[in-house]
Structure formats: C-alpha cells, structure tokens
Amino acid sequence: MKNIRLAEIEDIPRLNEIWALCFGDGEKFRNFYFRERFQPKQTLVYLIDDLIVAMLTMIPVNLWQEEESLPLSMFYAIATHPEYQQRGIATKLMDYATDYQKSRGTRGIVIVPASGDLFPFYLRQGYEEFFAIREKVWEKEKEQGEAT
C-alpha cells in the first residue's frame, strides 16, 4: 500500500537515514537540522507498506513584489531512498505537495536544487529558472577595516 502523509516526530530516525544516503551531510548537521529546524507539519513522507521511502520539506517563504508579499513554499530536502529511486516517487511527492500548498493559499513553489545536475529533473517537472543565488562571505577583519 502506498501513502503520503505529514511527518511525525517518530519518523526522524528514518528521515535522518534517508537524508544521509541522499545528501551525504554529516551527522552533526543532520542532528542540528532534526533537533532545531525540523517541523513535522512542513514535511511530507511517502510510504510503501508503512515504510517511509521518501521525504519532501515545504518551508514557507515570502516573495516581495513591489509592495505585495506573495506567500510561497520552498521545497527542500526532496529525497528518495536509493533502493526506491527511478520509480517516480519524488514526482508524486512534488505533485501532492503542490496541491497541498495550493489548497492553503500558497501562490507558488520555489526549489533550489542542491546541485546543477538536478536542473534537468526539475525542468521536466515543469519548473522554470527564475533567479540565481549568490553567496558572499566577509571576514570580520575586512568588515571592520572597511568601516573605518
């Protein structure tokens, strides 16, 4: 039997396992995420015969367009256990999550692929490139030196 539902606190060990297999993040980061950031009501899980095989997190964000704030959802940590990949499970989760968010008044979905090789997958799902992200890090000494 296949099922999609919101996550529960009891799901954390399995979600942590899937995260480690799919993203390779270290235990320290994963423990921080599940202790400090994880919200069961923002995470969908896909089950086959009562076993969680995939996850998708829906983080509420706002896009400011002129003076209007548009409620969006950022899909994050979309992961399918390697033994269950290539079966369309992530696509089913994304479709379900999109309908779920629409029913709650969300005006759009944002996805930031973890790597460039994921772009073709999301483009096939109908997503479009909309913006680019740039990261800039300042060292404290430079920042203080520039302020004087």
Side-chain angles (χ1 to χ4, degrees), residues 6 10 23 25 27 50 55 62 69 77 85 96 99 109 119 123 145:
L6 288 172
E10 297 79 21
F23 302 121
D25 293 320
E27 184 178 357
D50 296 324
M55 62 185 284
N62 289 300
S69 174
Q85 291 177 359
Y96 186 96
D99 291 342
I109 305 300
F119 274 85
L123 292 171

Side-chain angles (χ1 to χ4, degrees), residues 1-134:
M1 175 192 256
K2 299 174 184 172
N3 185 31
I4 297 174
R5 65 164 169 80
L6 288 172
E8 300 169 355
I9 293 294
E10 297 79 21
D11 298 332
I12 289 176
R14 179 65 175 172
L15 298 176
N16 197 337
E17 175 188 352
I18 292 171
W19 190 303
L21 291 168
C22 293
F23 302 121
D25 293 320
E27 184 178 357
K28 185 176 179 181
F29 174 79
R30 293 190 326 270
N31 288 342
F32 168 79
Y33 177 82
F34 285 107
R35 184 181 65 249
E36 303 293 334
R37 299 288 181 227
F38 176 70
Q39 298 289 324
K41 291 181 180 179
Q42 293 177 357
T43 304
L44 290 172
V45 295
Y46 188 100
L47 299 94
I48 297 177
D49 297 328
D50 296 324
L51 177 68
I52 296 172
V53 300
M55 62 185 284
L56 180 153
T57 304
M58 306 166 289
I59 301 172
V61 296
N62 289 300
L63 172 68
W64 285 91
Q65 191 174 26
E66 297 181 13
E67 294 188 20
E68 181 184 11
S69 174
L70 301 175
L72 306 177
S73 181
M74 181 174 82
F75 289 178
Y76 177 74
I78 303 169
T80 303
H81 190 288
E83 293 178 15
Y84 294 88
Q85 291 177 359
Q86 304 300 315
R87 299 184 193 186
I89 293 172
T91 299
K92 290 173 188 164
L93 256 181
M94 290 169 45
D95 290 347
Y96 186 96
T98 299
D99 291 342
Y100 180 85
Q101 289 299 320
K102 280 182 186 176
S103 74
R104 282 154 181 72
T106 299
R107 303 275 300 275
I109 305 300
V110 176
I111 298 175
V112 181
S115 64
D117 60 335
L118 291 171
F119 274 85
F121 170 76
Y122 293 119
L123 292 171
R124 283 193 308 272
Q125 306 309 313
Y127 292 90
E128 299 176 13
E129 290 186 52
F130 181 68
F131 62 89
I133 293 179
R134 180 179 58 154

